[in-house]
Amino acid sequence: MQPIEAVASTTLNVVSRVSGRLAGAGAFRLFHMPFARSKLRGLERELFATATVEHLAVDSGRAVTYRWGDGTRPVLLVHGWQSRGSRLSEFVPGLLERGYSVITFDAPGHGDATGRSTTILDYRAIVTALHDRYGTFEGLVAHSLGVLGSFYALHHGVRAERIVTVSGVCDFDFLIEEFSSELRLRDQLTERLRHQVDRRLFPDVPSERTPFSVTHAVGSVHAPLLVVHDEGDTRIDVSQGRRIAAAFGERAQLIITRDLGHRRILGDADVVRTVLDFVEHGPSAIGTARARTASAD
């Protein structure tokens, strides 16, 4: 546990013994606040200097959007938690070579965006606004939390012809459990956090139903899926990727990598090539669903 997390853990657990309501509200706020903000790396800086940059206001701040190309044949790249759009840079040159326009963004509290936090509602708003502007995405490639946020937008009307999930989160409940475990929150405080999530993010969801899961979108998302996950991912367990693939059945193709972890997987040459082929050619480029191994760089 990092020092800032240790302080947060102690503070929330102590406050919860005095006021469960205040502690629950504090946990909810911290739940959506990245502990670190990623910065541009050298090669990413060169690529992003060539992008068309715009800003988009959402509830938690102003997102920054980036585009290469004129906007036709759009492919959307969606980053995860404590990340930024530039972390999916390895996909950009290949997509441009294949004739696509590429769009990505920094969500509030991430990268060069304003704000201190972001929610799944912000992800939905950003993805929906970009969809309204550019039309149906020919491809949507999402990483980690970006998978859950993207599917929340897809479930609410956004359309994509082909979808790729990399190291993806399937269930919102998984995020609550991981957050509570990481900060060693008392059980009562975790329940307070769940109550805050239900009330403030999913007020229309019946109380007996869990918060949003990618599995809830099976009936509303009809595009083919490529699901890529590393068997040794210590951030988002591979079981989350398997749940996504299992939910979509024959519409999904599952690739399990080895020794790439949660982030290196985005830069692996074999993974990048496979994703590009899937976006361009669909399931026929991958063959029957299978597990594939890949070596770390």
Side-chain angles (χ1 to χ4, degrees):
M1 185 182 296
Q2 298 297 317
I4 188 173
E5 295 170 341
V7 171
S9 173
T10 299
T11 301
L12 288 173
N13 281 311
V14 169
V15 171
S16 72
R17 296 179 183 277
V18 179
S19 173
R21 182 181 61 82
L22 288 177
F28 178 83
R29 181 174 181 179
L30 196 62
F31 180 62
H32 295 99
M33 187 179 296
F35 288 122
R37 188 182 287 257
S38 297
K39 297 181 179 180
L40 276 173
R41 297 167 180 165
L43 294 178
E44 295 173 354
R45 190 178 303 277
E46 295 178 14
L47 176 64
F48 273 65
T50 67
T52 297
V53 180
E54 297 179 317
H55 297 85
L56 177 63
V58 292
D59 286 347
S60 299
R62 291 178 67 84
V64 182
T65 67
Y66 308 90
R67 189 190 77 237
W68 294 264
D70 62 5
T72 59
R73 304 191 66 203
V75 173
L76 180 66
L77 308 178
V78 184
H79 71 77
W81 188 247
Q82 292 187 168
S83 187
R84 57 186 300 146
S86 63
R87 293 299 184 260
L88 291 93
S89 291
E90 293 293 335
F91 299 106
V92 176
L95 288 169
L96 294 176
E97 290 172 3
R98 297 173 189 228
Y100 296 102
S101 294
V102 182
I103 303 147
T104 189
F105 62 86
D106 297 339
H110 295 76
D112 291 334
T114 65
R116 294 287 307 277
S117 64
T118 196
T119 71
I120 192 172
L121 304 184
D122 295 318
Y123 269 87
R124 181 182 67 180
I126 296 167
V127 174
T128 299
L130 293 172
H131 178 264
D132 290 345
R133 177 167 183 177
Y134 297 107
T136 298
F137 301 115
E138 291 202 18
L140 190 159
V141 182
H143 178 241
S144 192
L145 175 66
V147 171
L148 192 66
S150 295
F151 268 90
Y152 197 53
L154 290 162
H155 187 52
H156 287 85
V158 167
R159 294 290 176 260
E161 294 180 3
R162 294 178 181 118
I163 301 168
V164 180
T165 76
V166 184
S167 309
V169 176
C170 180
D171 308 303
F172 200 97
D173 266 346
F174 176 84
L175 298 177
I176 296 175
E177 293 165 3
E178 288 297 298
F179 176 82
S180 297
S181 176
E182 189 171 349
L183 266 63
R184 301 173 186 170
L185 300 185
R186 300 171 63 233
D187 290 344
Q188 297 92 327
L189 183 49
T190 298
E191 288 308 307
R192 287 278 186 174
L193 173 58
R194 291 183 189 277
H195 175 72
Q196 289 280 331
V197 166
D198 290 343
R199 182 175 67 85
R200 300 174 67 172
L201 298 183
F202 308 103
D204 298 327
V205 175
S207 59
E208 67 275 9
R209 183 179 178 182
T210 60
F212 184 71
S213 166
V214 171
T215 64
H216 297 163
V218 170
S220 55
V221 177
H222 305 288
L225 271 71
L226 174 64
V227 180
V228 186
H229 215 115
D230 193 79
E231 66 179 8
D233 190 330
T234 58
R235 188 61 182 169
I236 307 298
D237 191 79
V238 67
S239 62
Q240 289 286 288
R242 294 187 187 279
R243 274 182 54 76
I244 295 172
F248 283 86
E250 294 182 354
R251 282 185 279 158
Q253 294 173 290
L254 174 65
I255 292 178
I256 304 298
T257 64
R258 181 179 299 162
D259 299 329
L260 294 177
H262 186 64
R263 295 182 177 86
R264 289 197 310 277
I265 196 170
L266 290 173
D268 179 77
D270 188 47
V271 170
V272 171
R273 186 182 312 110
T274 300
V275 169
L276 295 178
D277 287 346
F278 180 84
V279 170
E280 183 174 18
H281 302 294
S284 62
I286 311 300
T288 57
R290 66 192 185 281
R292 173 184 297 179
T293 60
S295 299
D297 290 339

